[in-house]
Amino acid sequence: MMLTSSINLSTMLGMGVLLLAIGGLIGPASGQRTPTISYITQEQIKDIGGTVEMECAVLYASDYSVHWVKSSNDRSDVVFLSTGSSLVLKDSRFSLRYDLSSTTYTLQIKDIQETDAGIYQCQVVLSVTNKISAEVALNVRRPPIISDNSTQSLVVSEGQPAQMECYASGYPVPQITWRRENNAILPTAFSHD
């Protein structure tokens, strides 16, 4: 047995009730849901020359502006990459896809460079002073490089202390070990500046 019910639209308006169908969700007009970011890609570690895809899925944001923004790891430099489903950055390595069915914005970077490392934020702008955001860190692997200011050679008298320094950079941070000529490992004290 199927029950049906009907009500006149003018009766509903007279009662102060208006239902809106937005994205398949039905709710009172005065109770519009706050946009949320339901998913953001986790931290990415990629090789130079590789490709990365970062996804941001949003809910209830059809009436709001959604952006991808990149900042340096110290957050001193900010670059807007996209607004809505349009890429604003003029760099052929970057592309943006928007999937309407999942409301997901996918930022893709091809031929990754060391300078692409940083914090990528997906932002939903609610007002001039209010936004919601989620972020994903992109780290780019760099081979270890030993700096020229490392100790090259050292002459000391037997029984006297000797201090040798090795400065190395790379990602992940390189592990430094010292060995004697006979390949025996020497004790090491680490300092990460």
Side-chain angles (χ1 to χ4, degrees):
M1 177 179 183
M2 185 168 108
L3 296 175
T4 60
S5 175
S6 65
I7 187 165
N8 185 312
L9 180 57
S10 61
T11 304
M12 288 177 63
L13 291 173
M15 296 183 330
V17 176
L18 176 61
L19 300 179
L20 295 177
I22 301 176
L25 297 172
I26 298 177
S30 62
Q32 183 177 2
R33 294 185 181 211
T34 303
T36 60
I37 296 174
S38 60
Y39 173 80
I40 188 84
T41 301
Q42 297 300 305
E43 176 186 24
Q44 298 290 297
I45 301 172
K46 297 294 181 177
D47 293 318
I48 291 174
T51 298
V52 66
E53 288 192 349
M54 294 174 278
E55 294 182 343
C56 176
V58 297
L59 296 174
Y60 320 117
S62 60
D63 295 333
Y64 297 89
S65 184
V66 178
H67 304 279
W68 272 106
V69 177
K70 181 205 181 233
S71 63
S72 54
N73 285 324
D74 64 3
R75 302 189 189 261
S76 63
D77 189 28
V78 176
V79 177
F80 279 84
L81 304 173
S82 70
T83 181
S85 58
S86 299
L87 199 62
V88 295
L89 180 70
K90 302 300 180 206
D91 185 330
S92 61
R93 299 179 309 113
F94 286 73
S95 63
L96 181 70
R97 289 189 319 272
Y98 175 65
D99 182 347
L100 184 62
S101 65
S102 64
T103 60
T104 299
Y105 296 82
T106 303
L107 179 67
Q108 182 186 69
I109 308 171
K110 294 180 180 177
D111 189 24
I112 293 172
Q113 305 300 310
E114 191 172 335
T115 55
D116 295 326
I119 306 297
Y120 289 78
Q121 269 193 358
C122 177
Q123 300 177 345
V124 180
V125 179
L126 304 175
S127 70
V128 173
T129 58
N130 192 12
K131 67 183 176 193
I132 58 170
S133 63
E135 59 188 39
V136 55
L138 172 60
N139 292 298
V140 179
R141 285 189 193 94
R142 298 182 317 276
I145 297 172
I146 297 176
S147 175
D148 288 344
N149 62 347
S150 297
T151 304
Q152 300 295 319
S153 65
L154 185 64
V155 177
V156 294
S157 299
E158 187 174 336
Q160 296 299 310
Q163 181 173 333
M164 297 175 284
E165 296 177 336
C166 179
Y167 300 98
S169 63
Y171 187 85
V173 176
Q175 181 179 356
I176 299 170
T177 56
W178 293 90
R179 294 180 183 266
R180 295 182 188 268
E181 285 182 327
N182 65 4
N183 218 21
I185 296 177
L186 296 171
T188 304
F190 286 103
S191 169
H192 294 285
D193 294 333

